[in-house]
Amino acid sequence: MREIVIRINGIECSSCVIRLKNALGALEGVERAEINSVTAQSYIIYNENILSVDDIECCIRKSGYQVPMMTAEIAVSNMYKKQEVQIQDCLKAINGVKEVKCDIENDQVNISYWAVGIRSKDFIDALAGNGLDGTVIEVNGGEEEQIYRERLFHLRLLIESAFLTMPLLWNPSPLIQLLIATLIQLGPGRFFYKGAWKSIRNRNFTMDFLIAVSTTIIYGYSTYIVFTVHDDIQLYFLGDGVLMSIILLGKYLEILEICLREKVR
């Protein structure tokens, strides 16, 4: 049996956890699968003679979620053409390595692998076991980098939503409110529409789907009023913007809490 911890993107609520846990548990060879929605990580015990990391990643992807891909550049001293197959075989033997490319001219090896707890030292040790001397040049796409990018992404959406919602507090003309609300729906709101479309394709109605439906109903109803009612107009574009901003604030605080716990910049 082998144990791995996989970071998974796209887990947002308890229904995501249940759906993915059931999908992983149904795989032949999986002994145990536990998922933490707060850290977005999955702890899996599986039989490596039956399953590979690629099989697990494929199951996660088919369920509507993603495993981050990492890359590493390794310098190999005095590498020549005849060693290419040997280098590829020894590195691909590491569980979780997806692809190995050798750059003979520059004495470098480029490795793509899933974020399943592989360390750069594992590559160096594998090369050393085959009589090769390797040095790590660069590693990209690590867990800390993924969390940091998510934090910046959600912060940008929150700022966009709050900035666009503020003018609605002064109750401008109906057409201007409609224009601002449209920018909110197509700007920050695109995050929820993408999540809703993904949930529809995977037949798994997540929070993104509910948020997209509710904000669209508010937007659609207020738009109808703008063009049909001419006296005592009561619009709800402000409520739409405030609702979206509050939800985005909650998502940002979740990511921020993970950053503080994991000591990510």
Side-chain angles (χ1 to χ4, degrees), residues 3-265:
E3 302 177 7
I4 56 170
V5 177
I6 303 179
R7 175 164 175 77
I8 302 173
N9 292 339
I11 296 178
E12 298 175 352
C13 58
S14 58
S15 65
C16 296
V17 172
I18 295 172
R19 175 182 174 82
L20 187 53
K21 185 175 180 179
N22 290 338
L24 290 171
L27 282 177
E28 183 182 359
V30 171
E31 180 72 18
R32 179 184 174 191
E34 297 293 337
I35 299 170
N36 189 322
S37 60
V38 177
T39 60
Q41 290 182 331
S42 176
Y43 171 75
I44 303 171
I45 300 176
Y46 69 101
N47 188 333
E48 58 185 328
N49 295 321
I50 300 176
L51 276 178
S52 67
V53 172
D54 283 349
D55 296 327
I56 295 173
E57 186 278 332
C58 183
C59 174
I60 293 172
R61 180 162 35 84
K62 286 182 178 180
S63 299
Y65 309 96
Q66 297 85 37
V67 177
M69 177 70 76
M70 300 177 64
T71 60
E73 292 183 14
I74 309 292
V76 180
S77 302
N78 302 318
M79 183 169 61
Y80 52 90
K81 185 67 176 177
K82 290 184 179 180
Q83 291 178 314
E84 184 173 354
V85 175
Q86 178 188 3
I87 292 171
Q88 290 178 339
D89 288 344
C90 76
L91 291 175
K92 284 185 177 180
I94 299 174
N95 202 23
V97 171
K98 180 70 174 177
E99 186 178 28
V100 177
K101 292 183 179 179
C102 296
D103 184 352
I104 304 298
E105 293 183 0
N106 297 310
D107 289 336
Q108 288 184 8
V109 178
N110 299 311
I111 308 168
S112 300
Y113 58 102
W114 304 117
V116 292
I118 299 175
R119 302 168 301 170
S120 55
K121 184 177 180 297
D122 296 332
F123 301 133
I124 304 302
D125 291 344
L127 291 170
N130 285 266
L132 300 167
D133 183 20
T135 305
V136 177
I137 300 175
E138 187 177 13
V139 176
N140 295 311
E143 185 172 329
E144 288 190 1
E145 183 178 340
Q146 290 285 338
I147 297 173
Y148 177 66
R149 287 181 178 178
E150 283 186 41
R151 182 167 73 88
L152 291 183
F153 174 72
H154 283 87
L155 178 60
R156 181 170 59 82
L157 289 181
L158 173 60
I159 292 173
E160 287 179 7
S161 180
F163 179 78
L164 290 171
T165 300
M166 286 178 64
L168 296 174
L169 294 170
W170 284 272
N171 195 29
S173 67
L175 288 178
I176 292 179
Q177 289 191 53
L178 174 60
L179 174 61
I180 294 173
T182 302
L183 293 175
I184 293 174
Q185 291 295 119
L186 299 180
R190 71 186 182 278
F191 170 77
F192 299 109
Y193 284 118
K194 287 180 180 179
W197 174 243
K198 186 187 297 182
S199 70
I200 291 172
R201 285 189 305 169
N202 293 293
R203 300 177 183 178
N204 176 34
F205 299 109
T206 62
M207 286 299 297
D208 284 344
F209 176 81
L210 297 176
I211 295 166
V213 170
S214 60
T215 55
T216 300
I217 290 174
I218 296 172
Y219 172 79
Y221 179 69
S222 295
T223 301
Y224 171 78
I225 292 176
V226 168
F227 293 106
T228 58
V229 180
H230 303 288
D231 298 319
D232 297 326
I233 293 180
Q234 178 63 50
L235 302 176
Y236 301 94
F237 291 129
L238 175 60
D240 186 20
V242 170
L243 174 63
M244 194 170 295
S245 297
I246 291 175
I247 294 171
L248 288 171
L249 174 61
K251 286 184 174 291
Y252 174 72
L253 291 177
E254 285 181 5
I255 299 294
L256 183 61
E257 192 272 335
I258 294 175
C259 289
L260 294 175
R261 185 177 60 251
E262 302 292 335
K263 297 182 180 179
V264 178
R265 52 181 171 163

